[in-house]
Amino acid sequence: MRSGLRWAVPAVAVAALAAAMATSRERAPRAEPLAAPSLSPPIVIAHRGASGLRPEHTLASYELAIAQGADFIEPDLVLTKDDVFVARHENNIADTSDVADHPEFADRRTTKTIDGEQVTGWFTEDFTLAELKTLRAKERLPMLRPANTDYDGRFQIPTLEEIIALAKRASAETGRTIGIYPETKHPSYFASIGQPMERRLVAALDAAGWNGADAPVFIQSFEVDNLRRLHALTKVRLIQLLDDTGGPADGAAPSYADMISPAGLKQVAGYAWGIGPNKDMIAVGSKPATTLVRDAHAAGLRVHPWTFRAENYFLPRSQWKGLNPRGHGDVEAAIRRQLALGIDGFFTDFPLIGVEMRNAATGKGSRPKGSI
């Protein structure tokens, strides 16, 4: 899921940030549009694992998410120099690993253009898997999640193969079907450097026996042509990611706003099983909800919004508790509202909260065995 600078915490004092956020105002609540019944029982997707409690994209984060009841664990996938999929938020690992502490890799720091933006750091495609395995993960948002820094340096960067093995092992141990929800990160960029992702990803899933529409897998992407190519290669369910600004990096659509028109959603339904919109495209705080869930359902598309985070910093002012941006606000209210609007699942950094809200909304104490 997107983050980058968009979700980076500014290097300012907590009090100053709180004061800035306190200036925000919301319109008075209005009547909700007619809710659209879910097309599928809502699922809880652990965004980069239980990333609110452990450094993201580590086996420890995924393991905790599974223990907390998540239905799916989400790895963002990038490629190594020797064409192995690993889980990192971006191919730039400057903020998610201790690579800067390794003098043997100092000369690999460079600047590249990724999706039209210049980025400086160390990049997975410049390292073999063996080299990446000498690094250790670290917390990407230390100002907001200081407790997670206690785990810095403990965990390796996991491969897709290791994540699949974890999901299968956990499924056998718990009696629940634990699925994976991989995102292809910067597929056009990787294709431009001679490392197209699609066939490699399909081959990895085929090797796991996951090649049908009933496989416990969703593949997601912010790009369009990447998903269209995957649609021709696999029957695994595909999810078109959408943001509330901008458009696909591959230029296959003018903007995400165009893609959520009735005509745009109909086109998406031609290759995807569902959409993964920024949650703010559905509802924000007490503002009137949009009709996106209803419109997507009318096109036959499931809706899995991202990302519900507990920290005040990520919530509208009406859902803050206290003034500390890193304090936890009323994310439960945000999840409840969108479940009431008929979403079919959602991404969260805090799977236990997500599971509790989903179960309360559906009247179930736990997920049925084998349910995805």
Side-chain angles (χ1 to χ4, degrees):
M1 219 53 59
R2 283 187 174 175
S3 256
L5 295 177
R6 181 185 179 91
W7 294 111
V9 182
V12 297
V14 166
L17 181 56
M21 292 295 291
T23 62
S24 65
R25 293 290 184 268
E26 296 182 284
R27 291 175 289 173
R30 299 178 188 171
E32 298 280 17
L34 181 66
S38 299
L39 297 184
S40 302
I43 58 172
V44 176
I45 307 146
H47 185 240
R48 309 172 194 168
S51 54
L53 302 168
R54 298 290 185 275
E56 65 189 34
H57 293 315
T58 59
L59 291 182
S61 183
Y62 297 131
E63 288 166 352
L64 180 57
I66 292 167
Q68 292 185 338
D71 301 302
F72 284 79
I73 52 178
E74 186 229 14
D76 294 333
L77 297 181
V78 293
L79 284 165
T80 67
K81 186 176 183 179
D82 44 351
D83 291 325
V84 179
F85 280 112
V86 292
R88 288 291 86 189
H89 169 54
E90 301 286 348
N91 54 331
N92 181 5
I93 54 174
D95 294 333
T96 60
S97 79
D98 63 357
V99 63
D101 299 330
H102 287 251
E104 68 273 25
F105 298 136
D107 62 350
R108 299 198 199 177
R109 187 173 186 270
T110 188
T111 298
K112 301 188 180 191
T113 300
I114 312 292
D115 294 349
E117 295 185 8
Q118 283 201 324
V119 183
T120 299
W122 289 263
F123 298 85
T124 58
E125 64 268 24
D126 297 330
F127 293 78
T128 65
L129 176 62
E131 290 172 330
L132 283 180
K133 284 294 188 179
T134 68
L135 306 179
R136 293 297 180 268
K138 70 177 185 179
E139 173 56 39
R140 188 175 61 85
L141 300 174
M143 287 183 66
L144 280 180
R145 295 169 177 173
N148 284 10
T149 63
D150 291 344
Y151 300 94
D152 286 357
R154 296 193 193 183
F155 310 123
Q156 290 185 337
I157 294 172
T159 65
L160 173 60
E161 184 178 8
E162 290 170 332
I163 295 166
I164 290 172
L166 169 62
K168 289 193 167 192
R169 183 171 65 252
S171 296
E173 291 172 352
T174 65
R176 297 188 294 120
T177 299
I178 309 300
I180 69 168
Y181 207 124
E183 178 185 347
T184 54
K185 299 292 289 201
H186 311 299
S188 290
Y189 165 76
F190 275 99
S192 76
I193 62 172
Q195 293 183 284
M197 290 182 160
E198 293 84 7
R199 291 189 181 278
R200 290 182 175 91
L201 178 53
V202 170
L205 296 175
D206 283 350
W210 291 343
N211 50 24
D214 59 346
V217 183
F218 296 97
I219 304 173
Q220 54 176 329
S221 180
F222 278 103
E223 295 189 17
V224 174
D225 286 340
N226 170 234
L227 290 177
R228 286 175 172 158
R229 287 189 291 270
L230 285 165
H231 181 66
L233 295 172
T234 182
K235 295 186 182 301
V236 167
R237 293 166 291 184
L238 308 177
I239 303 294
Q240 176 66 65
L241 296 174
L242 303 164
D243 207 349
D244 57 353
T245 60
D250 59 5
S255 69
Y256 292 123
D258 287 333
M259 295 176 72
I260 63 171
S261 68
L265 290 169
K266 185 176 180 180
Q267 290 183 350
V268 171
Y271 60 86
W273 188 83
I275 59 172
N278 182 323
K279 63 181 176 59
D280 292 348
M281 299 171 74
I282 296 173
V284 180
S286 58
K287 293 180 180 179
T290 72
T291 61
L292 180 55
V293 175
R294 186 178 63 189
D295 295 344
H297 284 177
L301 294 163
R302 274 68 169 181
V303 182
H304 297 164
W306 54 271
T307 301
F308 291 94
R309 296 174 165 103
E311 292 88 358
N312 284 328
Y313 181 80
F314 297 111
L315 294 169
R317 188 74 183 114
S318 62
Q319 291 170 346
W320 277 43
K321 293 181 180 178
L323 294 177
N324 188 341
R326 71 168 65 113
H328 286 197
D330 194 3
V331 68
E332 293 88 348
I335 295 172
R336 276 196 303 270
R337 184 179 186 196
Q338 297 210 13
L339 285 168
L341 289 167
I343 61 173
D344 306 283
F346 57 95
F347 293 81
T348 178
D349 291 2
F350 295 86
L352 182 59
I353 294 174
V355 169
E356 290 173 346
M357 293 301 98
R358 186 273 314 281
N359 290 350
T362 59
K364 295 179 180 179
S366 61
R367 296 288 286 166
K369 285 189 177 182
S371 175
I372 58 172

